[in-house]
Amino acid sequence: MDTAVNMQGTWLLAYCNWRVADAVALIKERFVNPAAPPCPQCQSAFVSQYGALWICPECAHEWTSADMSDEAQATGVHDAHGNAIQDADTVPLIKDLKVKGSSLVVKVGTEVNNIRLVEREHDIDRKIDGVGALGLKPEYVKTA
């Protein structure tokens, strides 16, 4: 009896998920403007334009196209001194960093070679010899 209830519950859940997916697809098809930029705060696609102002109905964030161009120019990864960092740069650490989950400490002056920039909280990814793969915040490095 318990198996039959689980099977029926699974079927019902699958049926409901299919219907929700159809509803979301229909809403996106009818109400999402493909030319509209996503909301810079919550990345929602359901934005609308009112004159020169873009409005997000999900988080109530408002912005203009000029704000978007300023943000595009300001994006990029910068070190502790404000210098731009590029992929494949070699950057030394400016502070001793404790490795989370272990007793290791990466010492100041350790050079991180051939870095890879990613868009996360820790913008720099690289494997350091003797430590392993690390994600670093750009405020703890400087350009060489």
Side-chain angles (χ1 to χ4, degrees):
M1 182 74 169
D2 194 35
T3 306
V5 171
N6 284 340
M7 289 176 59
Q8 289 175 354
T10 303
W11 176 82
L12 182 61
L13 181 62
Y15 179 75
C16 290
N17 284 340
W18 177 77
R19 304 298 278 164
V20 169
D22 283 349
V24 169
L26 181 65
I27 289 169
K28 284 186 177 181
E29 178 183 313
R30 297 221 175 141
F31 297 108
V32 174
N33 181 358
C39 175
Q41 191 166 356
C42 70
Q43 301 303 318
S44 172
F46 299 102
V47 297
S48 57
Q49 189 172 17
Y50 183 74
L53 193 65
W54 290 96
I55 302 169
C56 176
E58 292 184 13
C59 68
H61 181 66
E62 299 177 352
W63 71 98
T64 63
S65 297
D67 294 339
M68 292 296 291
S69 64
D70 291 344
E71 286 180 18
Q73 290 175 355
T75 58
V77 180
H78 301 281
D79 68 358
H81 303 293
N83 300 323
I85 301 174
Q86 304 291 325
D87 274 335
D89 277 354
T90 298
V91 292
L93 295 177
I94 62 169
K95 181 180 177 182
D96 286 348
L97 299 175
K98 294 179 182 178
V99 178
K100 207 179 240 187
S102 76
S103 61
L104 294 174
V105 175
V106 182
K107 296 291 184 178
V108 65
T110 302
E111 287 196 351
V112 183
N113 300 320
N114 198 19
I115 63 171
R116 182 174 55 122
L117 300 178
V118 294
E119 292 190 21
R120 290 194 304 243
E121 181 181 357
H122 295 78
D123 292 323
I124 301 171
D125 274 351
R126 185 63 184 135
K127 185 175 181 181
I128 299 176
D129 293 334
V131 178
L134 285 180
L136 298 170
K137 291 185 178 181
E139 59 255 23
Y140 298 123
V141 299
K142 65 178 181 178
T143 53

